[in-house]
């Protein structure tokens, strides 16, 4: 980190700044000062509004009693957005049961007016979804997420004519299933893969790096199935606290497909096989 840049951070007496893993979107650093440790995220060449949704999500988590980093400061330095968070010390291991119960607790927080969406957009490194507020989950998920991804995939020529035909068939199934399913607008993490939870030194779970929205809770559960890291004990504990409705197994495939489509757009045809496999899975379960 450039010393002139770090000198403008609202932290006194910085002793060390160490680069740490922060996913594929942000630069991430551990900062140690005389009186505290912080986690610093940096997004080069972006306005400070880039972190607005993450900040709001972490604040919503805090209100819901979910263990997550606390927001300390945010702003912009030399044209770069930054976010300072409290530093959580990672432990060696923890309980998948506790993690499942925590996620269920998160999902039991519902939008007071019964609306789906969020007051701020989702903004990744090269994908942006406007969110907004909708009366039904299908309006948000199908029209604002899947349809936008579909357009982007076609624009980038990532699909064959047959791939596109298969997706349109799958999309009809998704619309029909969601229109026949009663959804509650739960507070969602929005990107619940294994890289966005950790176990602390006392073995308790914590969530971080949210892409928040109020939506069907199965959206988060679908994300947990893509890259692993969630055991059977997680799903059993979740279901004990907040039992899933009939037909959840099929609908969870919809959200697995969504996350794979996001990765197809971001990283290219390396994800094409997984996308096609999931579409076939949806067709076979239907």
């Amino acid at each position: 980190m450039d010393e002139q840049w770090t000198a403008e951070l609202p932290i006194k007496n910085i002793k060390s700044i160490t680069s740490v893993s922060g996913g594929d979107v942000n630069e991430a650093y551990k900062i140690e000062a005389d009186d505290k440790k912080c986690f610093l995220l940096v997004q080069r060449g972006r306005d400070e509004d880039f972190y607005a949704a993450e900040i709001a999500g972490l604040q919503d988590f805090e209100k819901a009693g979910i263990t997550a980093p606390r927001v300390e400061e945010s702003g912009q330095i030399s044209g770069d957005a930054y976010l300072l968070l409290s530093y959580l010390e990672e432990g060696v291991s923890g309980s998948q049961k506790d993690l499942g119960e925590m996620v269920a607790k998160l999902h039991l927080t519902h939008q007071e007016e019964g609306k789906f969406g969020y007051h701020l957009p989702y903004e990744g490194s090269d994908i942006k979804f406007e969110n907004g507020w909708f009366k039904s989950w299908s309006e948000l998920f199908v029209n604002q997420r899947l349809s936008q991804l579909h357009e982007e995939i076609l624009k980038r020529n990532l699909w064959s004519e047959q791939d596109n035909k298969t997706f349109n068939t799958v999309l009809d199934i998704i619309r029909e299933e969601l229109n026949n399913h009663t959804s509650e607008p739960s507070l969602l993490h929005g990107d619940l893969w294994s890289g966005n939870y950790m176990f602390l030194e006392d073995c308790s779970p914590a969530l971080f790096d949210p892409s928040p929205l109020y939506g069907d809770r199965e959206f988060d559960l679908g994300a947990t199935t893509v890259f692993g890291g969630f055991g059977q004990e997680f799903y059993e504990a979740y279901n004990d606290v907040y039992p899933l409705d009939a037909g959840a197994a099929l609908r969870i495939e919809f959200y697995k497909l969504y996350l794979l489509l996001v990765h197809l757009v971001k990283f290219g045809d390396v994800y094409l096989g997984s996308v096609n496999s999931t579409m076939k899975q949806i067709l076979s379960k239907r």
Side-chain angles (χ1 to χ4, degrees), residues 199-223:
F199 293 111
L200 306 181
E201 289 181 313
D202 65 357
C203 299
S204 65
L207 303 178
F208 53 90
D209 200 14
S211 300
L213 72 157
Y214 286 91
D216 192 299
R217 60 203 176 100
E218 294 167 358
F219 181 91
D220 270 353
L221 296 181

Side-chain angles (χ1 to χ4, degrees), residues 25-26 43 46-54 120-131 145 209-212:
V25 174
N26 300 289
Q43 186 67 209
R46 304 296 287 265
D47 293 336
E48 61 182 283
D49 287 349
F50 179 85
Y51 289 114
E54 181 171 352
L120 292 166
Y122 164 86
E123 191 166 2
S125 56
D126 56 359
I127 297 176
K128 184 174 182 177
F129 300 114
E130 291 299 335
N131 287 324
R145 295 292 178 101
D209 200 14
S211 300

Side-chain angles (χ1 to χ4, degrees), residues 138 142 170-181 254 286:
S138 181
V142 175
V170 167
L171 196 59
D172 288 339
I173 292 172
I174 292 173
R175 284 195 185 98
E176 182 182 349
E177 290 292 330
L178 293 186
N179 287 337
N180 291 325
H181 172 60
F254 303 162
R286 186 65 157 68

Side-chain angles (χ1 to χ4, degrees), residues 11 18 20-23 26-31 37-41 54 69-70 72-73 83-88 208:
I11 303 176
T18 308
V20 296
S21 175
N26 300 289
E27 293 180 25
Y29 302 90
K30 177 183 179 181
I31 295 181
K37 297 177 184 177
C38 292
F39 188 65
L40 169 67
L41 299 177
E54 181 171 352
R70 295 187 316 277
E72 298 202 349
E73 297 281 353
L83 174 60
L84 279 170
L85 303 170
S86 61
Y87 192 85
L88 300 181
F208 53 90

Side-chain angles (χ1 to χ4, degrees), residues 253-267:
E253 292 292 324
F254 303 162
Y255 308 121
K256 178 180 179 181
L257 175 63
Y258 161 81
L259 190 59
L260 289 170
L261 291 175
V262 169
H263 280 72
L264 179 61
V265 169
K266 290 175 70 174
F267 301 111

Side-chain angles (χ1 to χ4, degrees), residues 51-99:
Y51 289 114
E54 181 171 352
I55 290 169
L58 290 171
Q59 291 170 341
D60 286 343
F61 282 14
E62 187 173 2
K63 292 175 186 175
I66 302 301
T67 303
R70 295 187 316 277
V71 177
E72 298 202 349
E73 297 281 353
S74 66
Q76 191 175 33
I77 297 174
S78 300
D80 304 323
Y82 75 86
L83 174 60
L84 279 170
L85 303 170
S86 61
Y87 192 85
L88 300 181
E89 292 288 353
E90 188 170 10
V92 177
S93 63
S95 165
Q96 287 279 315
K97 177 177 181 292
D98 291 344
L99 179 61

Side-chain angles (χ1 to χ4, degrees), residues 147-193:
S147 294
Q148 185 172 327
L149 287 168
H150 186 199
E151 290 176 8
E152 194 62 33
I153 287 166
L154 294 178
K155 187 187 302 182
R156 300 186 187 200
N157 296 314
L158 292 169
W159 265 347
S160 68
E161 184 177 340
Q162 183 57 50
D163 293 334
N164 190 51
K165 183 178 179 180
T166 301
F167 177 77
N168 284 323
T169 302
V170 167
L171 196 59
D172 288 339
I173 292 172
I174 292 173
R175 284 195 185 98
E176 182 182 349
E177 290 292 330
L178 293 186
N179 287 337
N180 291 325
H181 172 60
T182 301
S183 296
E184 294 286 342
S186 293
L187 177 58
L188 304 182
H189 180 284
D191 190 18
L192 191 59
W193 69 292

